[in-house]
Amino acid sequence: MTEQTETQQRPALVVDFGAQYAQLIARRVREAGVYSEIVPHTATAAEIAEKNPVAIILSGGPSSVYEEGAPRLDPAVFDLGVPTLGICYGFQYMAQTLGGEVANTGLREYGATDAVVSGDGGTLLGGQPSEQNVWMSHGDQVATAPEGFEVLATTSATKVAAFADEQRRFYGVQWHPEVKHSDHGQRVLENFLHKGAGLASDWNPDNVIAEQVERIREQVGDARVISALSGGVDSAVSTALVHKAIGDQLTAVFVDHGLLRKGEREQVEKDYVESTGVRLITVDAADTFLGHLEGVTDPEEKRKIIGREFIRAFEKVQLDLVAEAKASGGAPVKFLVQGTLYPDVVESGGGAGTANIKSHHNVGGLPDDLDFELIEPLRALFKDEVRAIGRELGIPEAIVGRQPFPGPGLGIRIIGEVTKDRLEILREADAIAREELTKAGLDQDIWQCPVVLLADVRSVGVQGDGRTYGHPIVLRPVSSEDAMTADWTRLPYDVLSKISNRITNSVRDVNRVVLDVTSKPPGTIEWE
C-alpha cells in the first residue's frame, strides 16, 4: 500500500509540546495563508531542517519547563536560522534554553487577562492597542528574558509577557493567540508570519487544486482509478478533485454498507452524479457488513471490520473493472482515492507525535494485502479548507455544506452490537433530529449533531398508560471550526423539546432522549 505524500509547499512547523491547542495553532496559521504541519517535540534539529520550514512555532503544554521529564526540544533547532515563535510553554522553553529564567512566583493567570504593550510593540505586537485582553493559562513565568531580547508586553502578574530578538527573528508570548478569546491573537500570528518571517499569504484553495491536479496526473499516468465515494463532504470533494485531474480514468464506487442515514443512497446516486458527471458503481453490501459485525461490541473492532470490508468491496469491483479493461485493451486499475483529512491523520496517530485516539476507516485498520496505491488529495487539509475547495470545484452547496458523517456510519453510533433492527431505530431518530434542526435554521450554527443509540442500555418509561423499558437516544450537537476541538451547541429548548417529543412518540423502543453537554476535549465528537 503506497500513500500519497503531503504537499510539497514548504511548511510552517508547529512543534507539539503536548498542547491542547497544537492543531488549532496549525489551523490559525493556515487562516493567515501559510501552509502548516505539526511535528513532535522529539524531532531532532536535523529532522526539522529536512522539512525545510519557513517558520517554527513552539506550542503550549501542561508541563513546567524545569520539571524532570518535561518535554524538551533539540536546542540546535534555535541554530537553524528559522524565524521562531514561542507560545505559553514554548515561550518559556525558548526563554530557558536561550539563557533566560523561568520561575514559579506563585502568581498564576488563567483566562481573560489585561496585557500592556511596551513601546511600539515591535514586529510582533506593532499596530495593536497598547492595552488588550489576552487568554492566559499558566502558573510559571519568564522572570528574566534572555540576553538580546526586548520585553514587548507585561501584565499585573507577569513582568515578561511577550518578548522579541529582532536580529535572530525569535519571538514569544505567554498568552494563547490561537484562541478566539485573545482579542488580537490572529494579528499576533499574522505579524509573526508575514512581518517576522516575511511570508506571503499563498495558501489558498486555488493553489491547492492546481497543485493536486498536477500531482495526481503525474502519479496516475494513464492508469485507471477507483474512488471511495460515501456521499460525505470529504469523499465528494476528493472524488471531484481527482475527476478534474483525470476525467474518465476515474470510476466512483459507492458501497451501501447498510449503515447509512435515511435517504443517503438516493442523494449519492442522483444529486452527486448529476452535478459532477462522475461514473458511479453502487455496491449493495449491507448483508455482508452486518454479518461480519454480528456479536461485535468493541468500537475499535467495529471500525477495523468496517474499514476492512470497505476495501474488500472495492477489491471485488476492481476485479470487474480489471476484466473490463482487459477485454477492451484499456489501462489497468491501480489506484484508490480516499477522502482522508489532516484531523483523521492526527487522531489516528499518523500526525507526528500524536496519540492514537481512534482508528479511522481511511487511516487505520486497512488490510496488509491491499492491492491499490492510495491517492489522498485532502490528507493535508482541515474540513473548512475542503469545503472551500469543493465550492471552487462547483460541487452543490447541499453536498459541500453537509455536516460531517463518519465513514463507518451508524455502526459507530450504536453503543453495542449492530443489528438491522437497531439500525432502523437509529435511522428514524437521526432523520427526525436532522429535520427539526433544518426547520429551525440551525444547520449553519452547529458543526455536527451525531445521534447515538444506547443499544445496551434500557431505561424505564411510561408510554400509552403503560410501563416501558426502552432505549435512550443521545443528541450530541457540537460547534467547531475543524473538529480538533469542539464545544456542545446550546440549542434552543423548544427545538430540543420538538426533537425529543417526535422521537419518543414515533420511534419504537425509544422512551428517553438525552443531551450530551461534553466538550472536546475531554470527549471526542463521536461516542465510539
Side-chain angles (χ1 to χ4, degrees), residues 115-122 125 130 150-154 159 162:
V116 178
V117 176
S118 304
D120 64 4
L125 304 181
S130 58
E150 177 186 0
V151 176
L152 300 180
T154 62
K159 294 189 299 182

Side-chain angles (χ1 to χ4, degrees), residues 78-275:
F78 295 108
D79 298 325
L80 296 177
V82 180
T84 303
L85 170 69
I87 294 174
C88 194
Y89 181 92
F91 169 67
Q92 295 174 5
Y93 182 78
M94 176 187 287
Q96 182 189 63
T97 304
L98 298 178
E101 180 186 359
V102 177
N104 187 333
T105 64
L107 299 175
R108 301 182 176 186
E109 291 177 314
Y110 295 101
T113 305
D114 292 326
V116 178
V117 176
S118 304
D120 64 4
T123 297
L124 197 63
L125 304 181
Q128 299 176 33
S130 58
E131 295 185 11
Q132 55 183 274
N133 188 264
V134 300
W135 192 261
M136 291 285 197
S137 181
H138 68 102
D140 299 329
Q141 285 86 14
V142 175
T144 306
E147 184 177 350
F149 280 75
E150 177 186 0
V151 176
L152 300 180
T154 62
T155 70
S156 60
T158 304
K159 294 189 299 182
V160 185
F163 60 33
D165 181 334
E166 297 283 2
Q167 183 175 354
R168 290 187 286 178
R169 295 190 294 177
F170 289 163
Y171 308 90
V173 291
Q174 180 60 71
W175 63 87
H176 288 273
E178 71 274 19
V179 302
K180 295 293 188 182
H181 305 295
S182 291
D183 290 344
H184 301 277
Q186 186 64 16
R187 181 73 177 275
V188 171
L189 293 174
E190 291 175 356
N191 280 355
F192 165 67
L193 295 165
H194 303 320
K195 297 180 180 179
L199 304 177
S201 297
D202 56 6
W203 174 253
N204 59 64
D206 285 337
N207 289 350
V208 173
I209 292 171
E211 178 186 75
Q212 286 298 326
V213 164
E214 181 181 348
R215 293 182 63 200
I216 291 165
R217 287 173 178 167
E218 181 180 352
Q219 181 184 9
V220 171
D222 63 356
R224 297 176 67 184
V225 180
I226 299 176
S227 176
L229 181 62
S230 70
V233 178
D234 308 340
S235 67
V237 174
S238 61
T239 298
L241 185 52
V242 174
H243 186 258
K244 180 178 179 65
I246 62 173
D248 291 341
Q249 290 172 247
L250 172 70
T251 299
V253 179
F254 172 62
V255 177
D256 183 355
H257 48 27
L259 309 174
L260 300 170
R261 294 185 294 187
K262 193 172 184 178
E264 284 191 313
R265 177 167 175 167
E266 293 77 9
Q267 184 184 56
V268 171
E269 292 181 326
K270 182 175 184 296
D271 299 340
Y272 185 76
V273 171
E274 286 182 358
S275 66

Side-chain angles (χ1 to χ4, degrees), residues 8 20 87 92 132 158 254 284 289 318 419 438 476 492 497:
Q8 297 301 308
Q20 176 180 342
I87 294 174
Q92 295 174 5
Q132 55 183 274
T158 304
F254 172 62
D284 192 343
F289 276 78
Q318 182 200 27
T419 67
T438 299
R476 172 72 166 135
S497 178

Side-chain angles (χ1 to χ4, degrees), residues 459-527:
S459 62
V460 175
V462 178
Q463 292 171 299
D465 295 326
R467 177 188 174 95
T468 62
Y469 200 47
H471 301 291
I473 285 286
V474 180
L475 304 179
R476 172 72 166 135
V478 295
S479 300
S480 180
E481 293 185 349
D482 49 35
M484 301 310 301
T485 59
D487 193 15
W488 66 280
T489 308
R490 276 65 169 173
L491 296 178
Y493 290 149
D494 61 335
V495 175
L496 290 171
S497 178
K498 288 179 182 178
I499 294 173
S500 177
N501 288 341
R502 284 193 60 191
I503 289 176
T504 54
N505 286 338
S506 62
V507 180
R508 60 183 175 79
D509 293 334
V510 174
N511 62 3
R512 194 179 298 270
V513 175
V514 299
L515 180 67
D516 183 344
V517 295
T518 312
S519 63
K520 175 187 178 181
T524 55
I525 293 177
E526 298 289 346
W527 272 47

Side-chain angles (χ1 to χ4, degrees), residues 273-350:
V273 171
E274 286 182 358
S275 66
T276 62
V278 172
R279 178 191 179 193
L280 178 69
I281 294 176
T282 299
V283 179
D284 192 343
D287 291 342
T288 299
F289 276 78
L290 285 175
H292 285 286
L293 289 169
E294 185 176 353
V296 178
T297 59
D298 179 76
E300 279 298 286
E301 189 176 354
K302 285 184 191 177
R303 286 180 175 271
K304 289 178 179 178
I305 288 171
I306 295 169
R308 182 193 70 212
E309 293 308 312
F310 251 97
I311 298 303
R312 296 306 182 208
F314 284 121
E315 287 178 331
K316 291 176 182 177
V317 174
Q318 182 200 27
L319 293 176
D320 293 337
L321 293 175
V322 167
E324 177 186 299
K326 285 182 178 179
S328 64
V333 180
K334 293 177 58 178
F335 297 93
L336 171 65
V337 181
Q338 289 189 320
T340 309
L341 304 192
Y342 197 46
D344 302 332
V345 177
V346 171
E347 291 200 342
S348 299

Side-chain angles (χ1 to χ4, degrees), residues 11-28:
L13 295 182
V14 177
V15 178
D16 186 0
F17 283 106
Q20 176 180 342
Y21 296 124
Q23 294 85 7
L24 185 57
I25 297 171
R27 183 65 200 90
R28 295 290 182 242

